[in-house]
Amino acid sequence: GAVVSQHPSRVICKSGTSVKIECRSLDFQATTMFWYRQFPKKSLMLMATSNEGSKATYEQGVEKDKFLINHASLTLSTLTVTSAHPEDSSFYICSASKTGKSNEQFFGPGTRLTVL
Amino acid sequence: SQQGEEDPQALSIQEGENATMNCSYKTSINNLQWYRQNSGRGLVHLILIRSNEREKHSGRLRVTLDTSKKSSSLLITASRAADTASYFCATDGGGSYIPTFGRGTSLIVHP
């Protein structure tokens, strides 16, 4: 199989705090991981693409200092929402690719972030 | 933009009926994929169809692709209540393998 986990599944935090979300590929090495954001009843919006050991590539309009991505190993990528505000509340989904071709993505279960 | 747009936005049917969802896109693609998402959950990959393919089957799922019309359809036959979910199409092309997702079709299958 190709299982991707995310932790935590839900997080509620106060405005101004930072939140870290982990994405792990459990049974394969992920050369590339992707972070998406999804608003209610909306499409997935790609935020950034990260390759192990290098800086993430952010999509236009996504603040890299706001959404810090670290892909320290072939099985772990983290997304840190810094100084979170209520407008950052959303469903964040990661996916991982075995071969680097993103049309072979395996998605995590998502993390629901609520900023009070 | 490669973004696919699903139609209808919402579909409500009875168990046993077939469900058909459509996806239209704007420019040439390499691949088109269909995903399923249960409420509050991640995405599950259903089928990938390449630009040179016209039809693919997987169990009760049938996907067609018409590149001349820039459209694809997902047919779920003999639907079950457990098929209730949102279904997204995603396309990639133009030199990028990164898929762009549509807004999805929300399917409700009543038991």
Side-chain angles (χ1 to χ4, degrees):
Chain A
V3 180
V4 176
S5 70
Q6 275 183 248
H7 178 78
S9 58
R10 291 177 180 271
V11 56
I12 300 173
C13 68
K14 293 182 178 180
S15 188
T17 60
S18 293
V19 175
K20 179 185 284 188
I21 302 170
E22 292 186 348
C23 177
R24 293 181 185 272
S25 55
L26 298 184
D27 52 2
F28 66 99
Q29 291 186 327
T31 55
T32 307
M33 288 186 169
F34 304 87
W35 286 96
Y36 293 84
R37 181 173 181 176
Q38 185 180 31
F39 293 99
K41 300 187 185 300
K42 296 291 186 182
S43 179
L44 276 73
M45 181 190 77
L46 179 66
M47 298 175 66
T49 303
S50 72
N51 293 292
E52 184 265 339
S54 62
K55 291 184 178 181
T57 301
Y58 290 81
E59 295 298 300
Q60 191 173 9
V62 179
E63 299 177 60
K64 61 180 181 181
D65 295 329
K66 172 75 172 177
F67 299 99
L68 300 178
I69 292 172
N70 184 285
H71 192 159
S73 76
L74 285 171
T75 60
L76 173 64
S77 176
T78 61
L79 167 67
T80 300
V81 183
T82 62
S83 186
H85 287 93
E87 57 265 31
D88 298 325
S89 297
S90 193
F91 193 56
Y92 292 87
I93 305 176
C94 74
S95 67
S97 172
K98 291 181 182 180
T99 64
K101 290 185 178 181
S102 61
N103 59 32
E104 297 176 305
Q105 294 183 64
F106 301 94
F107 284 83
T111 295
R112 171 74 59 193
L113 171 63
T114 303
V115 185
L116 303 177
Chain B
S1 168
Q2 293 287 347
Q3 184 176 25
E5 289 293 337
E6 291 88 346
D7 169 62
Q9 291 188 14
L11 182 60
S12 181
I13 60 175
Q14 293 297 127
E15 205 165 32
E17 294 180 340
N18 295 340
T20 300
M21 289 159 271
N22 303 296
C23 170
S24 60
Y25 56 91
K26 295 179 181 177
T27 58
S28 298
I29 62 169
N30 294 327
N31 306 283
L32 185 146
Q33 303 180 70
W34 284 93
Y35 289 85
R36 168 196 168 120
Q37 183 182 35
N38 286 58
S39 180
R41 304 290 296 173
L43 273 70
V44 174
H45 184 262
L46 297 177
I47 289 182
L48 179 150
I49 187 165
R50 304 188 191 283
S51 60
N52 61 353
E53 297 177 313
R54 291 296 168 258
E55 188 172 311
K56 288 189 85 168
H57 297 256
S58 177
R60 292 184 296 113
L61 306 180
R62 173 177 170 248
V63 168
T64 62
L65 178 63
D66 187 334
T67 53
S68 67
K69 295 181 180 179
K70 293 186 170 60
S71 68
S72 173
S73 68
L74 169 66
L75 169 67
I76 304 174
T77 59
S79 64
R80 305 167 181 168
D83 294 329
T84 295
S86 291
Y87 292 83
F88 294 88
C89 69
T91 56
D92 65 80
S96 171
Y97 282 104
I98 298 177
T100 304
F101 288 82
R103 295 183 182 180
T105 292
S106 175
L107 172 67
I108 298 175
V109 181
H110 299 279

